[in-house]
Amino acid sequence: MSELLYIDLLIENGNFVLNTGKEPKLCNNRKSIGQDIIHSILESGLATQLIGERSPTLRADIFTQLELLIEEDERIVPGTVEVSEENQKRLWVTASTYDFGGISAQVDL
């Protein structure tokens, strides 16, 4: 089992996930990194720009900005980030980490 390098509170659908004792559940390592990626995308405002943009050229620019934003995370291997659009309300992000291999995260807009 991997060492616990990154520990976070588990958040799903914008809310803390609680255990049966009504205490916040924790997540670690890959899940924590994926969760941080989701939050950085949402906090950047790029997701909002993507929703409102119809120009294919400007949308491609926003996707590039998203990839560069994610690559700023020191845990992510540069050049491995891919952002794809499942539909107008959901993005999928895949990347490789230095310590935990590949990760994927679903970003609901």
Side-chain angles (χ1 to χ4, degrees):
M1 183 171 177
S2 298
E3 181 182 353
L4 300 179
L5 296 177
Y6 309 104
I7 301 172
D8 258 327
L9 297 174
L10 180 59
I11 299 173
E12 291 180 357
N13 301 319
N15 297 308
F16 294 112
V17 177
L18 304 178
N19 65 20
T20 55
K22 302 291 183 191
E23 297 174 339
K25 283 188 174 183
L26 299 177
C27 64
N28 61 69
N29 297 343
R30 292 174 66 184
K31 180 73 174 171
S32 178
I33 295 169
Q35 192 169 267
D36 289 346
I37 288 171
I38 293 168
H39 293 144
S40 68
I41 289 171
L42 295 175
E43 291 169 4
S44 72
L46 291 170
T48 304
Q49 291 178 27
L50 189 61
I51 291 170
E53 187 55 63
R54 299 293 173 240
S55 164
T57 303
L58 295 177
R59 287 178 63 78
D61 182 57
I62 294 170
F63 277 101
T64 300
Q65 290 179 58
L66 286 168
E67 290 175 1
L68 293 172
L69 172 72
I70 296 163
E71 286 182 353
E72 289 178 10
D73 189 315
E74 63 187 23
R75 302 168 292 186
I76 301 295
V77 177
T80 65
V81 176
E82 290 186 34
V83 180
S84 60
E85 189 172 37
E86 180 179 316
N87 58 48
Q88 290 181 340
K89 296 186 179 189
R90 178 172 294 150
L91 301 177
W92 281 100
V93 177
T94 59
S96 292
T97 65
Y98 285 108
D99 297 316
F100 307 106
I103 61 169
S104 63
Q106 170 186 313
V107 184
D108 292 318
L109 308 176

XYZ file of all heavy atoms in Angstrom:
855
model
N 0.841 -1.188 0.000
C 0.000 0.000 0.000
C 0.880 1.243 0.000
O 1.901 1.303 0.657
C -0.909 -0.019 1.235
C -1.866 1.132 1.285
S -3.036 0.885 2.617
C -3.915 2.382 2.485
N 0.470 2.262 -0.719
C 1.236 3.498 -0.841
C 1.205 4.295 0.451
O 0.248 4.249 1.214
C 0.662 4.371 -1.957
O 0.737 3.726 -3.190
N 2.268 5.043 0.638
C 2.332 5.957 1.770
C 1.310 7.074 1.562
O 1.053 7.510 0.445
C 3.739 6.557 1.836
C 3.943 7.508 2.971
C 5.339 8.102 2.961
O 6.173 7.669 2.148
O 5.568 9.004 3.761
N 0.705 7.554 2.632
C -0.268 8.629 2.548
C 0.467 9.962 2.510
O 0.845 10.510 3.538
C -1.241 8.578 3.734
C -2.054 7.297 3.870
C -2.955 7.354 5.095
C -2.861 7.038 2.627
N 0.686 10.471 1.300
C 1.405 11.731 1.147
C 0.476 12.941 1.180
O 0.842 13.999 1.656
C 2.174 11.735 -0.172
C 3.287 10.707 -0.318
C 3.911 10.797 -1.708
C 4.338 10.906 0.746
N -0.711 12.778 0.641
C -1.662 13.887 0.542
C -2.988 13.434 1.134
O -3.561 12.436 0.687
C -1.862 14.301 -0.920
C -0.553 14.552 -1.625
C -0.040 13.624 -2.511
C 0.182 15.701 -1.369
C 1.177 13.838 -3.145
C 1.394 15.922 -2.000
C 1.885 14.990 -2.879
O 3.092 15.197 -3.494
N -3.477 14.164 2.114
C -4.730 13.816 2.778
C -5.645 15.024 2.747
O -5.225 16.149 3.009
C -4.479 13.373 4.238
C -3.544 12.163 4.259
C -5.792 13.062 4.936
C -3.078 11.759 5.643
N -6.903 14.786 2.387
C -7.910 15.840 2.280
C -9.230 15.349 2.839
O -9.455 14.139 2.959
C -8.163 16.182 0.807
C -7.478 17.440 0.350
O -7.329 18.363 1.158
O -7.115 17.503 -0.840
N -10.132 16.298 3.076
C -11.513 15.947 3.356
C -12.160 15.557 2.035
O -11.939 16.204 1.015
C -12.262 17.131 3.968
C -11.754 17.633 5.319
C -12.503 18.888 5.728
C -11.897 16.558 6.381
N -12.944 14.498 2.044
C -13.602 14.033 0.827
C -14.808 14.918 0.533
O -15.661 15.127 1.399
C -14.036 12.580 0.978
C -14.739 11.949 -0.221
C -13.850 11.971 -1.457
C -15.157 10.527 0.110
N -14.861 15.430 -0.700
C -15.962 16.281 -1.128
C -16.597 15.658 -2.365
O -15.911 15.315 -3.317
C -15.475 17.713 -1.447
C -14.877 18.344 -0.202
C -16.616 18.558 -2.003
C -14.221 19.683 -0.436
N -17.912 15.510 -2.324
C -18.661 15.011 -3.476
C -19.869 15.908 -3.679
O -20.558 16.246 -2.713
C -19.099 13.562 -3.260
C -17.943 12.579 -3.268
C -18.375 11.143 -3.051
O -19.577 10.888 -2.826
O -17.499 10.271 -3.089
N -20.118 16.278 -4.908
C -21.242 17.155 -5.254
C -21.224 18.452 -4.445
O -22.266 18.960 -4.044
C -22.573 16.430 -5.069
C -22.687 15.192 -5.918
O -22.279 15.200 -7.078
N -23.202 14.126 -5.360
N -20.026 18.959 -4.163
C -19.886 20.226 -3.466
C -20.080 20.149 -1.959
O -20.082 21.179 -1.287
N -20.233 18.957 -1.418
C -20.458 18.797 0.018
C -19.450 17.830 0.625
O -18.988 16.910 -0.034
C -21.872 18.247 0.284
C -22.948 19.185 -0.175
O -22.955 20.358 0.170
N -23.869 18.682 -0.986
N -19.165 18.025 1.917
C -18.334 17.070 2.627
C -19.084 15.754 2.748
O -20.288 15.734 2.991
C -17.999 17.572 4.036
C -17.140 18.804 4.046
C -17.650 20.018 4.479
C -15.826 18.758 3.624
C -16.875 21.154 4.485
C -15.034 19.894 3.626
C -15.565 21.088 4.057
N -18.364 14.662 2.577
C -18.945 13.334 2.768
C -18.723 12.968 4.229
O -17.605 13.055 4.738
C -18.289 12.301 1.836
C -18.842 10.912 2.100
C -18.487 12.699 0.377
N -19.805 12.564 4.894
C -19.725 12.226 6.314
C -19.822 10.718 6.506
O -20.529 10.034 5.771
C -20.858 12.921 7.091
C -20.934 14.440 6.957
C -22.138 14.969 7.730
C -19.652 15.098 7.433
N -19.138 10.226 7.545
C -19.248 8.809 7.879
C -20.468 8.603 8.780
O -21.216 9.549 9.046
C -17.950 8.285 8.508
C -17.631 8.930 9.844
O -18.500 9.501 10.515
N -16.378 8.851 10.246
N -20.663 7.389 9.273
C -21.838 7.098 10.098
C -21.840 7.865 11.416
O -22.886 8.070 12.010
C -21.945 5.593 10.392
O -20.729 5.155 10.986
C -22.216 4.808 9.118
N -20.672 8.324 11.853
C -20.568 9.121 13.072
C -20.703 10.610 12.805
O -20.409 11.426 13.674
N -21.118 10.976 11.582
C -21.289 12.376 11.164
C -19.978 13.161 11.187
O -19.964 14.366 11.355
C -22.342 13.099 12.019
C -23.704 12.466 12.006
C -24.350 12.609 10.656
C -25.762 12.022 10.710
N -26.345 11.885 9.433
N -18.860 12.455 10.990
C -17.553 13.090 10.880
C -17.128 13.061 9.418
O -17.470 12.127 8.690
C -16.522 12.337 11.727
C -16.831 12.360 13.198
C -15.874 11.478 13.986
O -15.252 10.564 13.388
O -15.754 11.704 15.191
N -16.392 14.073 8.977
C -15.962 14.091 7.574
C -15.066 12.904 7.237
O -14.185 12.540 8.008
C -15.173 15.397 7.452
C -15.573 16.215 8.625
C -15.962 15.257 9.703
N -15.339 12.292 6.079
C -14.467 11.225 5.575
C -13.230 11.866 4.957
O -13.284 12.995 4.471
C -15.177 10.400 4.512
C -16.161 9.415 5.038
C -16.641 8.521 3.893
C -17.532 7.425 4.407
N -17.938 6.515 3.326
N -12.156 11.124 4.941
C -10.913 11.595 4.351
C -10.654 10.867 3.033
O -11.135 9.754 2.811
C -9.748 11.354 5.301
C -9.819 12.052 6.655
C -8.625 11.644 7.513
C -9.872 13.553 6.496
N -9.895 11.520 2.170
C -9.392 10.873 0.968
C -7.890 11.133 0.938
O -7.387 12.000 1.651
C -10.082 11.384 -0.289
S -9.807 13.123 -0.661
N -7.188 10.371 0.122
C -5.739 10.550 0.090
C -5.171 10.310 -1.295
O -5.837 9.801 -2.180
C -5.067 9.629 1.113
C -5.342 8.173 0.833
O -4.861 7.624 -0.149
N -6.141 7.533 1.683
N -3.942 10.746 -1.443
C -3.116 10.530 -2.623
C -3.839 10.803 -3.944
O -4.154 11.954 -4.225
C -2.498 9.142 -2.577
C -1.570 8.970 -1.383
O -1.144 9.943 -0.773
N -1.254 7.745 -1.033
N -4.094 9.792 -4.763
C -4.681 10.005 -6.097
C -6.021 10.727 -6.015
O -6.289 11.637 -6.785
C -4.851 8.670 -6.808
C -3.519 8.021 -7.170
C -3.695 6.661 -7.725
N -4.397 6.765 -9.006
C -4.760 5.733 -9.712
N -4.536 4.524 -9.280
N -5.369 5.897 -10.860
N -6.874 10.302 -5.114
C -8.195 10.933 -4.972
C -8.034 12.395 -4.548
O -8.728 13.279 -5.038
C -9.037 10.159 -3.952
C -10.408 10.717 -3.714
C -11.330 10.469 -4.877
C -12.738 10.925 -4.548
N -13.614 10.913 -5.682
N -7.111 12.657 -3.650
C -6.860 14.019 -3.182
C -6.352 14.910 -4.318
O -6.801 16.045 -4.475
C -5.843 14.000 -2.035
O -5.560 15.299 -1.599
N -5.448 14.397 -5.123
C -4.920 15.162 -6.261
C -6.035 15.442 -7.262
O -6.193 16.560 -7.744
C -3.739 14.423 -6.931
C -2.556 14.331 -5.967
C -3.324 15.126 -8.227
C -1.450 13.396 -6.428
N -6.834 14.428 -7.573
C -7.951 14.610 -8.489
C -8.937 15.650 -7.980
O -9.422 16.499 -8.741
N -9.210 15.601 -6.701
C -10.120 16.567 -6.087
C -9.542 17.981 -6.171
O -10.251 18.940 -6.461
C -10.344 16.146 -4.629
C -11.444 16.836 -3.927
C -11.750 16.158 -2.603
O -12.605 15.297 -2.550
N -11.067 16.541 -1.553
N -8.243 18.111 -5.946
C -7.584 19.428 -6.058
C -7.661 19.968 -7.486
O -7.838 21.164 -7.695
C -6.121 19.340 -5.615
C -5.966 19.158 -4.117
O -6.954 19.350 -3.384
O -4.845 18.817 -3.681
N -7.525 19.089 -8.469
C -7.631 19.501 -9.874
C -9.032 20.045 -10.154
O -9.184 21.102 -10.766
C -7.301 18.321 -10.815
C -5.799 18.028 -10.778
C -7.765 18.606 -12.239
C -5.411 16.752 -11.492
N -10.043 19.324 -9.699
C -11.425 19.774 -9.906
C -11.636 21.153 -9.304
O -12.177 22.053 -9.948
C -12.418 18.762 -9.295
C -12.368 17.446 -10.062
C -13.840 19.335 -9.288
C -13.076 16.299 -9.374
N -11.178 21.334 -8.074
C -11.368 22.628 -7.408
C -10.600 23.747 -8.110
O -11.111 24.857 -8.239
C -10.965 22.535 -5.939
C -11.871 21.650 -5.152
N -11.437 20.852 -4.141
C -13.206 21.420 -5.257
C -12.450 20.170 -3.651
N -13.537 20.492 -4.322
N -9.396 23.458 -8.596
C -8.639 24.513 -9.283
C -9.333 24.936 -10.572
O -9.352 26.115 -10.918
C -7.196 24.075 -9.548
O -7.133 23.049 -10.500
N -9.930 23.973 -11.290
C -10.669 24.302 -12.515
C -11.872 25.172 -12.197
O -12.093 26.206 -12.828
C -11.100 23.019 -13.254
C -9.884 22.332 -13.868
C -12.147 23.332 -14.330
C -10.170 20.962 -14.435
N -12.639 24.770 -11.206
C -13.848 25.522 -10.862
C -13.512 26.919 -10.330
O -14.187 27.886 -10.650
C -14.684 24.739 -9.852
C -15.250 23.402 -10.376
C -15.956 22.644 -9.265
C -16.159 23.623 -11.562
N -12.463 27.019 -9.525
C -12.080 28.301 -8.942
C -11.424 29.240 -9.959
O -11.436 30.447 -9.780
C -11.146 28.077 -7.753
C -11.852 27.434 -6.575
C -10.897 26.955 -5.498
O -9.659 27.176 -5.618
O -11.376 26.331 -4.539
N -10.872 28.702 -11.043
C -10.179 29.523 -12.034
C -11.124 30.383 -12.864
O -10.707 31.382 -13.448
C -9.368 28.636 -12.983
O -10.235 27.933 -13.868
N -12.375 29.979 -12.955
C -13.324 30.688 -13.804
C -13.306 30.210 -15.246
O -14.142 30.628 -16.049
N -12.366 29.345 -15.599
C -12.285 28.855 -16.978
C -13.488 27.990 -17.344
O -13.938 28.004 -18.489
C -10.988 28.078 -17.188
C -9.710 28.919 -17.152
C -8.477 28.026 -17.122
C -9.665 29.871 -18.333
N -14.026 27.267 -16.382
C -15.197 26.438 -16.650
C -16.380 27.307 -17.046
O -17.124 26.984 -17.976
C -15.538 25.585 -15.434
N -16.536 28.436 -16.376
C -17.624 29.362 -16.700
C -17.436 29.931 -18.097
O -18.399 30.046 -18.867
C -17.675 30.505 -15.671
O -17.797 29.936 -14.364
C -18.833 31.430 -15.925
N -16.210 30.272 -18.441
C -15.928 30.776 -19.791
C -16.254 29.723 -20.847
O -16.790 30.037 -21.906
C -14.467 31.178 -19.918
C -14.087 32.393 -19.126
C -12.593 32.683 -19.272
O -11.978 32.340 -20.269
N -12.015 33.315 -18.255
N -15.929 28.486 -20.548
C -16.166 27.396 -21.493
C -17.659 27.211 -21.742
O -18.081 26.994 -22.881
C -15.551 26.100 -20.959
C -15.516 24.911 -21.893
C -14.694 25.234 -23.128
C -14.954 23.705 -21.186
N -18.457 27.311 -20.692
C -19.906 27.137 -20.823
C -20.495 28.172 -21.777
O -21.338 27.861 -22.602
C -20.599 27.228 -19.444
C -20.226 26.018 -18.604
C -22.114 27.323 -19.595
C -20.657 26.110 -17.158
N -20.018 29.411 -21.675
C -20.588 30.492 -22.473
C -19.991 30.665 -23.859
O -20.509 31.429 -24.660
N -18.922 29.949 -24.151
C -18.219 30.164 -25.431
C -18.710 29.203 -26.505
O -18.796 28.012 -26.292
C -16.715 29.981 -25.228
C -15.891 30.340 -26.424
C -16.169 31.758 -26.893
O -15.903 32.704 -26.125
O -16.647 31.907 -28.026
N -18.991 29.724 -27.680
C -19.452 28.904 -28.807
C -18.413 28.784 -29.912
O -18.461 27.852 -30.706
C -20.747 29.481 -29.393
C -21.895 29.524 -28.415
C -22.338 28.104 -28.070
N -23.325 28.125 -26.999
C -23.175 27.530 -25.833
N -22.088 26.855 -25.565
N -24.108 27.578 -24.913
N -17.464 29.695 -29.976
C -16.446 29.671 -31.016
C -15.506 28.481 -30.803
O -14.892 28.356 -29.746
C -15.636 30.969 -30.979
O -14.436 30.823 -31.718
N -15.377 27.602 -31.797
C -14.463 26.462 -31.662
C -13.019 26.887 -31.368
O -12.327 26.234 -30.590
C -14.563 25.754 -33.015
C -15.878 26.176 -33.576
C -16.108 27.565 -33.073
N -12.581 27.978 -31.965
C -11.207 28.453 -31.748
C -11.017 28.922 -30.312
O -10.026 28.564 -29.660
C -10.874 29.601 -32.728
O -11.062 29.134 -34.058
C -9.446 30.081 -32.541
N -11.955 29.699 -29.807
C -11.836 30.196 -28.432
C -12.045 29.084 -27.410
O -11.412 29.081 -26.350
C -12.816 31.348 -28.205
C -12.529 32.607 -29.030
C -13.592 33.672 -28.803
C -11.136 33.152 -28.734
N -12.884 28.101 -27.739
C -13.054 26.949 -26.838
C -11.747 26.146 -26.758
O -11.346 25.710 -25.686
C -14.195 26.054 -27.319
C -15.571 26.670 -27.089
C -16.681 25.786 -27.619
N -16.763 24.488 -26.959
C -17.292 24.273 -25.761
N -17.791 25.276 -25.083
N -17.331 23.068 -25.250
N -11.088 25.974 -27.898
C -9.805 25.266 -27.911
C -8.781 26.004 -27.049
O -7.983 25.373 -26.347
C -9.299 25.110 -29.341
N -8.814 27.329 -27.088
C -7.917 28.129 -26.262
C -8.202 27.898 -24.772
O -7.272 27.785 -23.969
C -8.057 29.610 -26.604
C -7.116 30.478 -25.798
O -5.885 30.233 -25.863
O -7.600 31.377 -25.076
N -9.463 27.812 -24.409
C -9.821 27.563 -23.005
C -9.342 26.181 -22.574
O -8.818 26.015 -21.472
C -11.342 27.737 -22.788
C -11.735 29.203 -23.014
C -11.745 27.288 -21.386
C -13.225 29.454 -23.071
N -9.473 25.186 -23.444
C -8.972 23.849 -23.118
C -7.456 23.873 -22.901
O -6.940 23.220 -21.993
C -9.351 22.839 -24.206
C -10.742 22.299 -24.050
C -11.780 22.789 -24.823
C -11.025 21.315 -23.115
C -13.065 22.306 -24.685
C -12.307 20.819 -22.965
C -13.332 21.314 -23.749
N -6.744 24.629 -23.716
C -5.289 24.766 -23.534
C -4.986 25.430 -22.200
O -4.083 24.995 -21.472
C -4.676 25.584 -24.693
O -4.940 24.898 -25.926
C -3.181 25.763 -24.506
N -5.738 26.472 -21.862
C -5.549 27.143 -20.568
C -5.817 26.183 -19.405
O -5.100 26.207 -18.398
C -6.472 28.355 -20.454
C -6.087 29.504 -21.361
C -7.064 30.652 -21.219
O -7.252 31.181 -20.125
N -7.709 31.029 -22.324
N -6.832 25.321 -19.550
C -7.123 24.330 -18.509
C -5.955 23.359 -18.337
O -5.556 23.043 -17.217
C -8.405 23.560 -18.855
C -9.716 24.308 -18.680
C -10.863 23.540 -19.328
C -9.995 24.566 -17.210
N -5.413 22.892 -19.452
C -4.277 21.969 -19.378
C -3.076 22.623 -18.707
O -2.416 22.014 -17.862
C -3.909 21.467 -20.771
C -4.954 20.534 -21.346
C -4.681 20.104 -22.775
O -3.644 20.518 -23.345
O -5.508 19.360 -23.321
N -2.799 23.869 -19.055
C -1.674 24.584 -18.441
C -1.912 24.810 -16.957
O -0.977 24.696 -16.145
C -1.434 25.915 -19.158
C -0.949 25.804 -20.605
C -0.930 27.172 -21.267
C 0.421 25.142 -20.659
N -3.142 25.110 -16.582
C -3.487 25.291 -15.171
C -3.213 24.013 -14.379
O -2.586 24.043 -13.316
C -4.962 25.688 -15.041
C -5.535 25.720 -13.626
C -4.975 26.916 -12.868
C -7.052 25.767 -13.659
N -3.651 22.896 -14.917
C -3.461 21.618 -14.227
C -1.987 21.259 -14.142
O -1.519 20.741 -13.125
C -4.278 20.516 -14.935
C -5.777 20.834 -14.820
C -3.971 19.146 -14.358
C -6.640 20.064 -15.789
N -1.236 21.562 -15.194
C 0.194 21.257 -15.200
C 0.980 22.079 -14.186
O 2.111 21.733 -13.857
C 0.781 21.449 -16.596
C 0.394 20.348 -17.547
C 1.017 20.494 -18.916
O 1.656 21.536 -19.192
O 0.864 19.556 -19.714
N 0.395 23.163 -13.677
C 1.061 23.952 -12.636
C 1.176 23.188 -11.322
O 2.014 23.513 -10.486
C 0.314 25.268 -12.397
C 0.458 26.258 -13.521
C -0.337 27.528 -13.280
O -0.859 27.733 -12.166
O -0.438 28.342 -14.218
N 0.349 22.177 -11.140
C 0.412 21.356 -9.923
C 1.714 20.563 -9.950
O 1.962 19.796 -10.886
C -0.799 20.423 -9.878
C -0.934 19.687 -8.561
O 0.079 19.169 -8.054
O -2.061 19.624 -8.045
N 2.528 20.729 -8.942
C 3.851 20.091 -8.904
C 3.784 18.570 -8.829
O 4.781 17.883 -9.042
C 4.668 20.628 -7.737
C 4.076 20.331 -6.383
C 4.801 21.012 -5.245
O 5.472 22.029 -5.484
O 4.688 20.517 -4.117
N 2.626 18.002 -8.561
C 2.470 16.547 -8.479
C 2.178 15.924 -9.843
O 2.232 14.709 -9.999
C 1.345 16.200 -7.502
C 1.603 16.763 -6.094
C 0.391 16.689 -5.220
N -0.649 17.604 -5.710
C -1.792 17.839 -5.061
N -2.049 17.222 -3.921
N -2.675 18.675 -5.564
N 1.869 16.772 -10.832
C 1.487 16.309 -12.171
C 2.689 16.342 -13.107
O 3.451 17.301 -13.127
C 0.367 17.211 -12.743
C -0.863 17.195 -11.837
C 0.013 16.824 -14.172
C -1.557 15.867 -11.727
N 2.837 15.299 -13.918
C 3.908 15.236 -14.914
C 3.506 16.131 -16.089
O 2.462 15.895 -16.716
C 4.142 13.791 -15.394
C 5.210 13.750 -16.473
C 4.491 12.871 -14.227
N 4.301 17.161 -16.379
C 3.973 18.043 -17.510
C 3.872 17.268 -18.817
O 4.620 16.319 -19.062
C 5.145 19.030 -17.543
C 5.696 19.011 -16.151
C 5.500 17.597 -15.669
N 2.927 17.691 -19.653
C 2.737 17.056 -20.948
C 1.816 15.850 -20.928
O 1.547 15.273 -21.978
N 1.337 15.462 -19.746
C 0.477 14.276 -19.656
C -0.999 14.627 -19.462
O -1.838 13.732 -19.430
C 0.908 13.362 -18.493
O 0.709 14.039 -17.252
C 2.359 12.936 -18.650
N -1.308 15.892 -19.352
C -2.678 16.319 -19.062
C -3.524 16.319 -20.335
O -3.107 16.834 -21.369
C -2.693 17.731 -18.435
C -4.123 18.211 -18.223
C -1.916 17.757 -17.141
N -4.696 15.725 -20.248
C -5.675 15.780 -21.332
C -7.015 16.158 -20.734
O -7.454 15.574 -19.745
C -5.794 14.432 -22.029
C -4.578 14.066 -22.848
C -4.785 12.801 -23.652
O -5.922 12.554 -24.102
O -3.809 12.066 -23.811
N -7.647 17.156 -21.332
C -8.973 17.585 -20.912
C -9.912 17.327 -22.083
O -9.667 17.791 -23.188
C -9.000 19.084 -20.528
C -10.399 19.495 -20.094
C -7.982 19.379 -19.438
N -10.966 16.571 -21.845
C -11.939 16.298 -22.895
C -13.343 16.606 -22.380
O -13.593 16.592 -21.184
C -11.848 14.851 -23.373
O -12.087 13.962 -22.311
N -14.205 16.868 -23.321
C -15.562 17.249 -22.990
C -16.498 16.072 -23.281
O -16.653 15.663 -24.423
C -15.954 18.470 -23.826
C -17.248 19.102 -23.446
C -17.456 20.413 -24.196
O -17.077 20.508 -25.388
O -18.001 21.321 -23.583
N -17.088 15.526 -22.229
C -18.051 14.443 -22.411
C -19.350 15.003 -22.979
O -19.949 14.439 -23.878
C -18.322 13.746 -21.083
C -19.316 12.612 -21.204
C -19.565 11.924 -19.884
O -18.600 11.664 -19.148
O -20.734 11.641 -19.603
N -19.781 16.107 -22.403
C -20.948 16.839 -22.892
C -20.816 18.282 -22.396
O -19.795 18.637 -21.810
C -22.271 16.184 -22.452
C -22.386 16.057 -20.950
O -22.143 17.010 -20.208
N -22.771 14.882 -20.480
N -21.824 19.111 -22.623
C -21.712 20.530 -22.266
C -21.626 20.756 -20.761
O -21.265 21.851 -20.322
C -22.890 21.315 -22.834
C -22.855 21.434 -24.334
C -24.020 22.246 -24.875
O -25.035 22.415 -24.214
N -23.865 22.745 -26.086
N -21.913 19.753 -19.971
C -21.906 19.929 -18.514
C -20.862 19.082 -17.802
O -20.808 19.073 -16.580
C -23.292 19.629 -17.945
C -24.340 20.603 -18.438
C -25.654 20.373 -17.764
C -26.657 21.392 -18.274
N -27.896 21.371 -17.528
N -20.022 18.361 -18.568
C -19.048 17.490 -17.913
C -17.747 17.406 -18.696
O -17.739 17.176 -19.893
C -19.622 16.097 -17.739
C -18.619 15.133 -17.091
C -19.234 13.821 -16.740
N -20.222 14.041 -15.705
C -21.315 13.300 -15.547
N -21.558 12.294 -16.340
N -22.162 13.561 -14.591
N -16.654 17.595 -17.965
C -15.305 17.422 -18.512
C -14.656 16.212 -17.856
O -14.964 15.871 -16.712
C -14.434 18.648 -18.202
C -14.889 19.998 -18.714
C -13.931 21.079 -18.225
C -14.975 20.005 -20.219
N -13.750 15.585 -18.583
C -12.905 14.531 -18.026
C -11.457 14.985 -18.133
O -11.025 15.456 -19.177
C -13.082 13.212 -18.780
C -14.318 12.490 -18.370
C -15.511 12.467 -19.027
C -14.490 11.708 -17.193
N -16.416 11.719 -18.325
C -15.819 11.239 -17.189
C -13.666 11.374 -16.128
C -16.348 10.438 -16.188
C -14.180 10.575 -15.117
C -15.502 10.116 -15.150
N -10.750 14.848 -17.040
C -9.336 15.204 -16.998
C -8.544 13.939 -16.692
O -8.869 13.205 -15.755
C -9.060 16.256 -15.895
C -7.579 16.568 -15.814
C -9.879 17.511 -16.133
N -7.517 13.683 -17.500
C -6.588 12.596 -17.209
C -5.187 13.186 -17.180
O -4.890 14.157 -17.886
C -6.657 11.466 -18.259
O -6.364 12.005 -19.544
C -8.023 10.811 -18.272
N -4.355 12.605 -16.345
C -2.969 13.061 -16.216
C -2.165 11.981 -15.509
O -2.730 11.052 -14.928
C -2.915 14.370 -15.429
N -0.869 12.127 -15.558
C 0.021 11.244 -14.805
C 0.626 12.019 -13.650
O 0.968 13.195 -13.802
C 1.147 10.717 -15.695
O 0.627 9.840 -16.657
N 0.741 11.338 -12.531
C 1.390 11.940 -11.368
C 2.772 11.315 -11.204
O 3.025 10.217 -11.693
C 0.579 11.695 -10.078
O 0.571 10.291 -9.796
C -0.842 12.211 -10.211
N 3.622 12.026 -10.514
C 4.969 11.500 -10.269
C 4.939 10.301 -9.329
O 5.691 9.352 -9.509
C 5.868 12.588 -9.678
C 6.299 13.611 -10.695
C 5.769 14.898 -10.666
C 7.227 13.309 -11.678
C 6.164 15.851 -11.589
C 7.620 14.248 -12.612
C 7.094 15.522 -12.563
O 7.476 16.452 -13.487
N 4.065 10.339 -8.324
C 4.090 9.324 -7.275
C 3.035 8.231 -7.385
O 3.196 7.164 -6.809
C 3.937 9.988 -5.900
C 5.086 10.919 -5.572
O 6.245 10.530 -5.813
O 4.834 12.034 -5.083
N 1.944 8.468 -8.127
C 0.821 7.539 -8.088
C 0.321 7.092 -9.452
O -0.760 6.516 -9.565
C -0.344 8.167 -7.302
C 0.067 8.642 -5.951
C 0.211 9.989 -5.691
C 0.358 7.747 -4.937
C 0.614 10.444 -4.451
C 0.762 8.183 -3.697
C 0.895 9.526 -3.448
N 1.059 7.369 -10.507
C 0.636 6.952 -11.838
C -0.487 7.810 -12.372
O -0.632 8.978 -12.019
N -1.310 7.203 -13.210
C -2.386 7.940 -13.876
C -3.549 8.232 -12.957
O -3.861 7.451 -12.053
N -4.166 9.372 -13.188
C -5.376 9.748 -12.475
C -6.398 10.263 -13.490
O -6.043 10.668 -14.589
C -5.145 10.825 -11.395
C -4.615 12.118 -12.020
C -4.230 10.325 -10.296
C -4.622 13.303 -11.078
N -7.654 10.202 -13.106
C -8.705 10.817 -13.917
C -9.695 11.459 -12.965
O -9.888 11.015 -11.846
C -9.397 9.790 -14.817
O -10.046 8.812 -14.036
N -10.273 12.556 -13.441
C -11.229 13.293 -12.622
C -12.364 13.777 -13.504
O -12.149 14.209 -14.641
C -10.542 14.488 -11.946
N -13.559 13.674 -12.978
C -14.762 14.159 -13.648
C -15.085 15.534 -13.089
O -15.175 15.710 -11.882
C -15.900 13.195 -13.372
C -17.262 13.671 -13.796
C -18.331 12.700 -13.353
O -18.197 11.503 -13.530
N -19.393 13.214 -12.780
N -15.248 16.520 -13.975
C -15.565 17.876 -13.555
C -16.953 18.206 -14.056
O -17.177 18.318 -15.264
C -14.552 18.897 -14.098
C -14.852 20.290 -13.569
C -13.126 18.478 -13.769
N -17.899 18.330 -13.138
C -19.257 18.709 -13.511
C -19.372 20.218 -13.471
O -19.091 20.849 -12.461
C -20.265 18.060 -12.549
C -20.314 16.553 -12.719
O -20.295 16.089 -13.874
O -20.370 15.847 -11.698
N -19.774 20.798 -14.604
C -19.867 22.246 -14.729
C -21.217 22.748 -14.288
O -22.189 22.104 -14.306
C -19.603 22.646 -16.176
C -18.319 22.091 -16.794
C -18.229 22.476 -18.249
C -17.105 22.603 -16.042
